[in-house]
Amino acid sequence: MKKKLLVVLLASILLVSAVACGNEGAGDETSAGADTSIQVPGTDAAVPGTEAVTNGNGTAETSKTTETQKPSNPDYNEETPTFKDVNKTLYVWYGKATIRTSTNTDDDENAIGWPVEGTLLTATGESEKWYRIQYKEQTCYISKTVVGDNAKIAEMTEVNEEIEISGDVNVRTYPSTDGGDLTKRGLLKKGAKVTRVAKGEEWSCILFTVESETETTADGKPKTEEKRYFIFNECIKNDAETTAAETTVATEAATEAATEGATA
């Protein structure tokens, strides 16, 4: 009886994990070859989109990005922002963010820098919608809509291992869904195999091949490069099975303890 119960519990947990993975994955992705560039509110700047990134064998392929236009922040004004002092490392997850000398997004003349994905910045202050930073020896600002706290990445444990995807999953520039579509850079299908280079409690960092928007080869084709992007652990085969097994053991132990208590 206990063995049957254990099997049922394990199957149920794996089913829940698969459903959760599917919700994060391909449900709202467009099909191969479609233009998935995303328009940023209040600007004419497009975030790089992607085409399909798996082949018939389920292995990862190059992600094809669309051309980024005029770099700018989303329209995210805040009247008379009040800043409190902080000391925080920021991670730029937007394709090309904008550093400004003021928090007015309607003034293009205050834009003085455009850090790309993966750039680290030091915040000296923050308001509800902005970070204050030091850039080019002057006080500047960057919108919270294009950066995240690097602590979430720094706390991950470095690894080097091949993993298999257990369900369709979005590849993101930052380990969070808070950025919505703006953090998506591709899609991995069930069965794809990629290299994991860091692991956290909920997210993993993987190597993901993309085409350069600025550099080309001698024959004029875009150069490819590997970037460190992020996926849900629930969509990784071994992680999902391990979590399910650990949960099953814990459930069985709790059931046995409760039964013994009732008998006593």
Side-chain angles (χ1 to χ4, degrees), residues 12 60-61 153 172 199 217 227 234 240 245:
S12 299
E61 285 186 342
I153 299 174
R172 296 181 178 271
K199 180 181 178 181
T217 60
K227 288 193 174 183
E234 288 182 356

Side-chain angles (χ1 to χ4, degrees), residues 31-229:
S31 60
D35 180 9
T36 57
S37 60
I38 302 163
Q39 196 71 21
V40 179
T43 73
D44 58 356
V47 177
T50 61
E51 294 184 354
V53 293
T54 54
N55 59 29
N57 298 322
T59 55
E61 285 186 342
T62 301
S63 168
K64 185 175 181 180
T65 59
T66 59
E67 181 180 359
T68 300
Q69 301 173 20
K70 176 183 175 183
S72 181
N73 276 343
D75 184 9
Y76 207 51
N77 289 326
E78 178 183 1
E79 293 185 10
T80 61
T82 301
F83 289 85
K84 64 178 181 180
D85 292 339
V86 297
N87 183 9
K88 184 183 296 186
T89 301
L90 308 177
Y91 184 92
V92 177
W93 54 255
Y94 182 64
K96 286 184 180 178
T98 304
I99 295 176
R100 301 176 180 273
T101 56
S102 75
T103 58
N104 180 11
T105 59
D106 295 328
D107 181 10
D108 288 337
E109 293 184 359
N110 67 9
I112 65 170
W114 295 271
V116 297
E117 291 173 359
T119 301
L120 298 180
L121 302 169
T122 300
T124 61
E126 69 174 307
S127 67
E128 180 185 356
K129 300 179 180 179
W130 292 86
Y131 281 113
R132 183 184 68 216
I133 65 173
Q134 287 297 120
Y135 184 77
K136 293 185 176 180
E137 300 183 352
Q138 60 182 310
T139 300
C140 296
Y141 305 89
I142 190 166
S143 171
K144 286 186 174 182
T145 61
V146 295
V147 294
D149 190 344
N150 188 62
K152 194 166 185 178
I153 299 174
E155 67 186 9
M156 290 184 173
T157 302
E158 292 291 315
V159 296
N160 184 8
E161 58 191 6
E162 184 181 79
I163 57 173
E164 182 177 340
I165 304 303
S166 62
D168 297 354
V169 59
N170 290 313
V171 179
R172 296 181 178 271
T173 59
Y174 185 72
S176 172
T177 58
D178 291 344
D181 288 348
L182 297 182
T183 60
K184 293 179 183 178
R185 290 297 179 271
L187 175 70
L188 289 175
K189 303 288 286 184
K190 180 179 179 179
K193 294 181 180 180
V194 294
T195 299
R196 172 162 58 183
V197 293
K199 180 181 178 181
E201 291 185 4
E202 297 181 347
W203 294 81
S204 284
C205 180
I206 64 168
L207 296 181
F208 191 70
T209 303
V210 297
E211 291 181 352
S212 173
E213 295 183 64
T214 58
E215 298 185 28
T216 59
T217 60
D219 57 359
K221 296 181 179 180
K223 287 185 177 180
T224 59
E225 57 181 330
E226 285 188 327
K227 288 193 174 183
R228 293 169 68 101
Y229 285 157

